[in-house]
Amino acid sequence: MTPWHRNEYILKGVFLGLWVFFALQVPAGPAAWVDIAWVVGWVCAGLLVGLLAGTALQLARGVRPWHNWLAFPLLVLLESPTFVYGGITLGLVVGVLSGTPGAEPWAGPLAATFGLTFEQIKHQDPAGGWLGYCAAAGALLGFALYRFRQVEDSRWRFWAGLLAAAALVYLAGEYIQKLPNLDTPEARFNLGVYILLGLPFFYLLTFCGEAEESEVEIMVLCAGLGVGLNLMGFANKFPGIGPAAAFLVPLTLYFVYATRLMPELVTFKHTLRGYSYMNLGRLALAVRFFRRALELDPKSALANQGLATLHNNLTLAQIDADPALVESLDFSLCLDRATALLMPPTPPPTRDQRGEAERFLDLVERKKPAYLARVDYLRAISFMHAKEYDHAADALSRLLNPETPGYHPVVRKRVLFDAWDIALRLHPKMVERLGWDELNKPGRRIEAIAATERKLAAEPSHPAAKEYRTMLYAQLQEGEFISAMATGLPTDFAYEYVEQMGLALLDDADPDRRERGMGYLRIAGRGLPDRAPGLFAALAKVHEKHGDGEGARRAYEWAKQAGLAVGPRNLARDQRAHYHDALRKLADMADQRGDPESAIADLRQYLEDGGPAALDTYKRLADMYGKAGDALNGLLMTETGLTYDSTDAALLRKKDSFYYSVEPEKLEKVKDRVAKWFDVNYCVRKAMSVLNAKDGGVELLDWATHLSRVAAIVKPQSNGVRLVAARVLLRRGERDAGLQMLEDMREGEKGSGEEQEAWYNGTKLLGQLYLDELNRPDLALKCFLDFKEFHKSGADTLYQIGRCYEATGDVGGAVKFYGAVTAYEGHALYWDAKDALKRLGKG
């Protein structure tokens, strides 16, 4: 904001201060209307003088009212803020001062001129000496409004202004009646009327001011409206609403005006100023106001039309006469002006038109190099009109070359199709010098395709563009596309169109045409990532059909990479199926060439990305890990597969194989990680079954030894593991070690479930060793008595207890337990117990 903007706000504040000063001194009764008319009359007279001065100024500038009777008064208001502010303020000062007691010598004769007396225009002074205070307070208020206007956040200004207006209305309603001479309804009514009479003048100051109107001014207006209505007893007219009526009207007006009307009015004021300065020939200022209007409302048709009209009528003489204008111009519109000169309604352009256009092109080239591409395009047209075809061809060739430095990419794209159209079709001399040879240069065809696609996007039925599309794609080589990808994937490219071209050639009997179709599909796959897995899968099937295994592998790999790039779970269902199929195919191919690691990677990716054939994949992964010599991971895949089908025969065989193949040393290093899935119970059960085999040889014993060893690594304190380990030691002849392990287990916790059963079985085995090998029937008795508590104990246990008692010389105990065995007549030990009783003399 400028210093004058600050002065405007201060003058607005002074106006408010003087108006309030006089409002507070309006006498009650009918005489008040004479005083009011006197002051308002002087304000109107000051406004009239200001408008006359503004009119004279516009006439001196060459503006005539008969050119536009409606716009002329608005123009005078907007372009004469100094005169309007001065006239209104000066008129108010005269009206206020003329009613003060000291003004009678000169105000009396002045009043007599209008048939009035000084007593009729004299103000009452309730407090005396308020004039200076009101004027100073008004100036301070104006400065405060100026600072409030400088707040950048318009939303903050809006809500703060709304609250401030409401607060002012409330405070006036509560406290203004306490002022002297305002204790009667009539006095308050007159004060309210006078405040309302001042609002139009304040709005006029706001409207014609150079500072943009904002929430600040409407806040003051609505606050004044609310105060005036409150003083006039407006709330009494609506008893159902009560005091809220004085709030609702101004706050509603504030909201509607600030959000709906004010933005359009501010834009209109800037646009009107732009037209005014354009008519006066002050083009730099006109451009500034038009641009400000378009900043506020980019869709303003009036402002856009004004800016375009200014540039379309622009001459170099005007630019030369106003050096500051160059920095304000819209150079795109300058090029529109050059275009109009070079392509008149009745071509060709004259020499003078070409010369004028060339000077505009030189100006833009110097001042705005970003438009160089459009400058070269228009310059080529100028050369063609001048029949300087070699120069025109040079300019076009420079424009068509993607490596030409200095071009702004966006500007170049806008003229590229038209440039190619001239070079390939429109002008025979340019076709002769450029033509299809220019198109065959590196990078040109891809750019021509992009220009064509942009043209078709803007004009789908453009006949030349449709013809170019057919020809350009038919000539496109895959290598050209790959070269273009060095700077990124081409965006203005019809990948769907290329896809259809490729699919049409896939089954062609001609190998060359078929290869061309596959090339199109490879291009389409790069540009259509969501459909790429299916496109590359189709390529792979063509390669497989014609016995090209390596080609198929590459295509499946592209399908895999395309799926990973998009995200397998983001693919459509059919594309996800192609992606999963590619992973399985790649795994098969890797297996066939003896590369289990690659097969494993593809199969694991398949599972990770939600492949549906999980059980079969785990089987294959187990096989691949087996081929790779990784028994632990093979075992993991086997165990995971068994969670899908615990009875699968193939997986159960693999389980036997992998548990036998696990290396204890490797297992020791990773035992904490594998403990959650390593099946220790399987190792125990399998080892027990091997040890229980009647025809078990050395190989089976080695198997049981291995299983006990790996199980002990994962769960060394398990009763089942220790029982198996003890039995293995005993079978291998390491009797002392086996005995010690059984004794250690017996001293430990029984546990529950399978652990408890293993503890009891170990106790029973220990008792047998004590009794049959170590001749310690006393220790054996304790073991068998403990085992007797186990729910699986029976006549066998009773018989062994009887033997223990007999061996320790306790005949009574022996007879008791042998007798208990004879209760089981069908038991295998029945007759042995009978013989023992006879031997003890009890038979």
Side-chain angles (χ1 to χ4, degrees):
M1 301 185 74
T2 66
W4 170 246
H5 293 160
R6 178 198 61 211
N7 296 339
E8 281 188 358
Y9 276 101
I10 292 176
L11 285 174
K12 290 175 189 174
V14 170
F15 172 83
L16 291 172
L18 293 175
W19 200 273
V20 168
F21 168 76
F22 181 64
L24 292 174
Q25 300 185 73
V26 174
W33 293 104
V34 176
D35 197 4
I36 290 173
W38 174 260
V39 176
V40 172
W42 277 109
V43 174
C44 291
L47 172 62
L48 180 62
V49 172
L51 291 175
L52 290 174
T55 301
L57 177 63
Q58 298 306 316
L59 292 173
R61 290 175 173 176
V63 180
R64 298 295 181 263
W66 48 84
H67 291 164
N68 192 325
W69 289 104
L70 182 61
F72 186 76
L74 290 175
L75 179 64
V76 171
L77 268 176
L78 293 175
E79 290 304 307
S80 309
T82 304
F83 294 137
V84 172
Y85 270 77
I88 289 177
T89 306
L90 186 61
L92 180 59
V93 169
V94 172
V96 168
L97 291 179
S98 63
T100 57
E104 185 175 0
W106 62 269
L110 186 63
T113 305
F114 296 95
L116 300 172
T117 65
F118 180 74
E119 290 301 320
Q120 290 177 299
I121 66 170
K122 181 181 178 182
H123 314 318
Q124 65 177 3
D125 189 356
W130 280 28
L131 177 61
Y133 294 118
C134 287
L140 289 174
L141 173 64
F143 186 76
L145 295 177
Y146 167 72
R147 296 294 295 172
F148 185 30
R149 175 63 182 84
Q150 287 182 307
V151 175
E152 295 292 335
D153 190 345
S154 60
R155 288 185 300 178
W156 190 94
R157 289 202 311 265
F158 174 82
W159 292 110
L162 186 68
L163 292 175
L168 286 172
V169 174
Y170 171 77
L171 292 173
E174 289 293 321
Y175 299 106
I176 202 168
Q177 60 184 343
K178 297 180 180 180
L179 293 175
N181 298 329
L182 291 178
D183 51 352
T184 65
E186 184 181 10
R188 291 195 294 273
F189 183 87
N190 289 346
L191 176 60
V193 170
Y194 193 73
I195 289 175
L196 294 182
L197 286 174
L199 298 184
F201 295 106
F202 182 83
Y203 184 76
L204 193 61
L205 294 176
T206 298
F207 182 80
C208 72
E210 285 188 6
E212 283 186 5
E213 185 178 351
S214 69
E215 298 83 0
V216 174
E217 289 80 9
I218 190 63
M219 173 190 74
V220 174
L221 278 168
C222 290
L225 176 62
V227 171
L229 293 176
N230 202 352
L231 291 171
M232 294 173 67
F234 184 73
N236 299 329
K237 305 295 183 182
F238 302 93
I241 301 177
F247 287 89
L248 291 177
V249 172
L251 294 184
T252 302
L253 175 63
Y254 177 90
F255 183 85
V256 173
Y257 187 89
T259 58
R260 296 287 186 269
L261 301 178
M262 186 177 69
E264 295 184 4
L265 279 175
V266 174
T267 302
F268 173 74
K269 285 163 62 176
H270 284 297
T271 303
L272 194 60
R273 281 195 170 106
Y275 276 103
S276 172
Y277 284 118
M278 182 172 68
N279 291 332
L280 295 175
R282 301 173 68 181
L283 301 184
L285 279 174
V287 170
R288 191 186 81 185
F289 282 111
F290 282 135
R291 282 187 174 164
R292 179 55 184 159
L294 291 172
E295 285 179 16
L296 297 171
D297 182 9
K299 296 181 180 179
S300 172
L302 196 61
N304 276 304
Q305 180 183 347
L307 192 60
T309 300
L310 185 152
H311 284 81
N312 288 339
N313 295 317
L314 195 62
T315 65
L316 290 173
Q318 290 174 311
I319 295 175
D320 293 338
D322 188 358
L325 178 59
V326 175
E327 305 303 326
S328 304
L329 291 177
D330 185 324
F331 291 99
S332 175
L333 294 175
C334 288
L335 290 176
D336 289 344
R337 175 63 175 155
T339 302
L341 290 168
L342 291 173
M343 301 178 187
T346 56
T350 65
R351 181 191 298 271
D352 290 341
Q353 286 176 318
R354 291 201 315 273
E356 183 84 358
E358 281 290 344
R359 287 192 288 275
F360 272 110
L361 296 180
D362 290 340
L363 172 68
V364 175
E365 185 176 6
R366 290 195 319 270
K367 296 295 184 179
K368 197 72 172 180
Y371 287 108
L372 183 58
R374 192 175 172 194
V375 168
D376 279 351
Y377 169 72
L378 292 173
R379 189 163 279 146
I381 293 176
S382 178
F383 284 138
M384 285 189 289
H385 285 309
K387 301 188 182 330
E388 298 179 18
Y389 299 119
D390 290 336
H391 288 97
D394 289 342
L396 277 180
S397 180
R398 189 166 58 251
L399 179 59
L400 297 175
N401 184 359
E403 298 180 359
T404 300
Y407 288 147
H408 191 286
V410 175
V411 177
R412 181 171 176 268
K413 285 179 180 180
R414 290 173 183 165
V415 298
L416 198 55
F417 177 83
D418 294 330
W420 276 115
D421 203 18
I422 293 173
L424 298 176
R425 181 179 67 94
L426 287 180
H427 202 292
K429 296 295 184 181
M430 294 299 101
V431 175
E432 178 184 327
R433 287 167 171 77
L434 299 172
W436 295 99
D437 290 338
E438 185 72 19
L439 193 67
N440 291 329
K441 293 180 180 178
R444 304 294 200 275
R445 198 180 323 275
I446 288 290
E447 285 223 317
I449 287 173
T452 301
E453 293 300 333
R454 289 192 293 272
K455 189 67 174 179
L456 286 172
E459 302 177 41
S461 60
H462 193 283
K466 293 165 70 174
E467 182 181 346
Y468 285 142
R469 171 187 266 188
T470 302
M471 291 189 299
L472 290 169
Y473 284 112
Q475 297 169 354
L476 179 65
Q477 300 296 319
E478 187 179 7
E480 292 179 291
F481 183 86
I482 293 174
S483 297
M485 285 184 62
T487 56
L489 185 71
T491 52
D492 297 313
F493 194 92
Y495 291 100
E496 293 87 352
Y497 183 77
V498 171
E499 176 189 8
Q500 296 306 315
M501 293 177 67
L503 291 173
L505 295 173
L506 274 190
D507 295 327
D508 200 288
D510 185 344
D512 292 336
R513 288 172 57 80
R514 187 168 61 247
E515 176 56 35
R516 187 162 185 76
M518 289 194 289
Y520 282 137
L521 282 192
R522 287 191 289 269
I523 292 173
R526 292 181 175 96
L528 300 172
D530 292 342
R531 301 212 298 270
L535 294 175
F536 290 132
L539 280 178
K541 288 178 172 58
V542 174
H543 284 296
E544 289 175 335
K545 179 180 178 181
H546 294 279
D548 182 3
E550 180 57 25
R553 187 197 65 78
R554 286 198 303 271
Y556 282 128
E557 184 65 32
W558 291 333
K560 168 188 170 181
Q561 296 304 324
L564 290 173
V566 175
R569 301 186 188 279
N570 296 327
L571 292 169
R573 180 178 298 178
D574 61 326
Q575 297 300 317
R576 191 160 57 245
H578 287 305
Y579 168 72
H580 288 147
D581 184 61
L583 290 172
R584 291 172 65 85
K585 292 283 189 180
L586 287 170
D588 289 341
M589 293 176 177
D591 185 20
Q592 290 170 9
R593 65 175 182 270
D595 184 4
E597 287 80 7
S598 296
I600 289 168
D602 290 325
L603 291 172
R604 291 187 73 95
Q605 190 71 51
Y606 175 88
L607 289 173
E608 181 181 334
D609 294 331
L615 178 58
D616 183 61
T617 304
Y618 282 118
K619 290 181 184 179
R620 296 187 61 200
L621 274 169
D623 288 337
M624 293 303 104
Y625 277 117
K627 292 180 180 182
D630 188 347
L632 270 175
N633 274 308
L635 181 56
L636 173 59
M637 296 300 104
T638 301
E639 291 287 4
T640 309
L642 285 170
T643 62
Y644 288 85
D645 184 0
S646 60
T647 64
D648 188 281
L651 286 175
L652 291 173
R653 289 194 298 271
K654 294 179 192 301
K655 184 168 184 174
D656 288 342
S657 174
F658 281 124
Y659 273 104
Y660 183 71
S661 303
V662 169
E663 298 178 25
E665 294 77 10
K666 291 184 178 179
L667 180 61
E668 182 68 41
K669 296 177 182 178
V670 296
K671 61 181 180 181
D672 294 334
R673 288 185 306 210
V674 305
K676 60 184 178 181
W677 57 263
F678 195 90
D679 194 349
V680 174
N681 292 333
Y682 161 82
C683 295
V684 172
R685 290 193 303 271
K686 181 61 69 173
M688 286 292 188
S689 66
V690 170
L691 293 172
N692 292 336
K694 295 181 179 180
D695 55 349
V698 177
E699 291 183 356
L700 288 182
L701 181 59
D702 288 341
W703 188 7
T705 302
H706 175 78
L707 290 174
S708 69
R709 184 178 177 189
V710 296
I713 291 174
V714 178
K715 281 190 176 181
Q717 300 302 316
S718 167
N719 290 334
V721 171
R722 290 194 286 185
L723 176 59
V724 168
R727 290 190 62 186
V728 167
L729 290 172
L730 294 172
R731 285 282 295 272
R732 297 178 71 89
E734 301 178 27
R735 314 297 286 180
D736 292 340
L739 182 66
Q740 183 63 50
M741 186 166 289
L742 289 172
E743 289 176 340
D744 291 342
M745 183 181 71
R746 177 168 164 71
E747 295 298 323
E749 295 291 332
K750 292 180 183 179
S752 60
E754 293 184 351
E755 286 293 287
Q756 184 185 67
E757 183 173 354
W759 187 89
Y760 278 115
N761 288 333
T763 298
K764 177 182 177 183
L765 178 59
L766 184 59
Q768 290 172 344
L769 291 174
Y770 283 146
L771 182 61
D772 296 333
E773 294 187 16
L774 301 178
N775 195 24
R776 292 294 306 272
D778 54 329
L779 296 178
L781 179 60
K782 293 179 181 179
C783 291
F784 286 122
L785 286 174
D786 284 343
F787 185 75
K788 177 176 173 293
E789 302 301 321
F790 186 44
H791 68 277
K792 290 187 178 182
S793 65
D796 290 346
T797 306
L798 298 175
Y799 182 79
Q800 298 300 335
I801 294 174
R803 289 184 62 203
C804 292
Y805 277 120
E806 183 180 2
T808 58
D810 186 347
V811 176
V815 169
K816 176 183 176 181
F817 282 92
Y818 284 143
V821 175
T822 60
Y824 301 90
E825 294 185 2
H827 196 274
L829 295 174
Y830 174 80
W831 295 108
D832 291 339
K834 282 285 190 179
D835 292 341
L837 288 171
K838 290 179 182 180
R839 186 172 61 249
L840 295 175
K842 300 296 181 180

